[in-house]
Amino acid sequence: MDKAALRRALVEERLNLPDRLQRADLLQQVMRIWLVNRPDTVIGAYWPIKGEFDPLPALHRWKEDGELLDEPLRRRIGLPVVNKQHKTLTFHAWYPGCPMEEDAYGIPKPKDTEVIVPTLLFVPCVGYGPGGYRLGYGGGFYDRTLATLQPRPFTVGLGFTHGFIDDFEPEDFDMPLDAILNDNGVVWPV
């Protein structure tokens, strides 16, 4: 399996999905429903690039919903910041309007906000396959980060249905996700 070629093809397909906005709306709904009754108060996510699904609107709504409860919860959202030396990620507090700057890869990250440790982590999927395995961009940042986070957060992949690869073969270092959501609903575990 030529993963580099597969990545390029899936990103190109995703960018050219004629109904990508409708799929994104459906996945926003799936994500919001999936979050109901989750005990987490600190969630890590990502800044969407290359046509990825944007989880931030659903997470901002989740944060606001926590403030409306009879006993308000202080819910936090974190975005990744790359540690170039160790090639791992830390998560820094994010909120709409917080100061941002570009990281070494040109991806926006929170500027000068505190480090937070998520108990739930949403991970972008270029592709995904049986067993909860994901195809990322090939840098290994999430796999290395998950190998070091203690306790390990509950991990959820987010992607569109076009990204399912039925014959995906993970590498030895690939870590399976705990769940995968797409615009049709929960696809792992099934």
Side-chain angles (χ1 to χ4, degrees):
M1 179 178 286
D2 182 353
K3 289 189 177 177
L6 182 58
R7 279 184 193 95
R8 285 190 301 274
L10 287 171
V11 168
E12 185 70 23
E13 280 179 37
R14 184 172 63 202
L15 288 168
N16 292 306
L17 286 170
D19 59 348
R20 190 175 69 194
L21 294 179
Q22 292 86 349
R23 288 173 185 253
D25 286 342
L26 291 170
L27 186 45
Q28 287 284 340
Q29 292 174 32
V30 168
M31 192 176 157
R32 287 186 56 210
I33 292 167
W34 191 86
L35 281 167
V36 171
N37 295 325
R38 284 285 313 175
D40 309 280
T41 57
V42 180
I43 295 179
Y46 57 90
W47 189 272
I49 60 171
K50 302 180 183 179
E52 289 173 336
F53 168 73
D54 184 354
L56 298 176
L59 287 175
H60 181 60
R61 181 71 180 265
W62 163 84
K63 182 181 181 309
E64 287 181 327
D65 288 349
E67 295 163 3
L68 298 174
L69 296 172
D70 289 337
E71 295 181 31
L73 293 175
R74 182 166 189 232
R75 293 178 172 176
R76 314 285 308 276
I77 302 165
L79 291 181
V81 174
V82 174
N83 177 320
K84 286 176 61 174
Q85 180 182 358
H86 299 289
K87 295 192 177 193
T88 57
L89 306 170
T90 55
F91 291 84
H92 291 242
W94 173 86
Y95 52 89
C98 83
M100 302 287 284
E101 63 186 354
E102 287 188 356
D103 69 11
Y105 300 95
I107 301 170
K109 67 176 183 175
K111 181 180 180 182
D112 302 326
T113 62
E114 69 182 288
V115 173
I116 59 177
V117 180
T119 58
L120 172 62
L121 180 58
F122 285 108
V123 182
C125 295
V126 173
Y128 54 92
Y133 290 96
R134 76 182 268 275
L135 177 68
Y137 293 104
F141 289 96
Y142 281 99
D143 290 318
R144 278 190 294 280
T145 300
L146 290 174
T148 62
L149 285 178
Q150 293 299 322
R152 184 180 188 270
F154 191 88
T155 56
V156 181
L158 298 173
F160 298 121
T161 54
H162 90 285
F164 181 73
I165 308 159
D166 59 354
D167 60 347
F168 183 71
E169 295 181 23
E171 306 287 334
D172 290 340
F173 54 82
D174 287 338
M175 299 187 75
L177 301 170
D178 297 306
I180 297 176
L181 309 179
N182 73 16
D183 39 303
N184 283 340
V186 178
V187 293
W188 173 260
V190 289

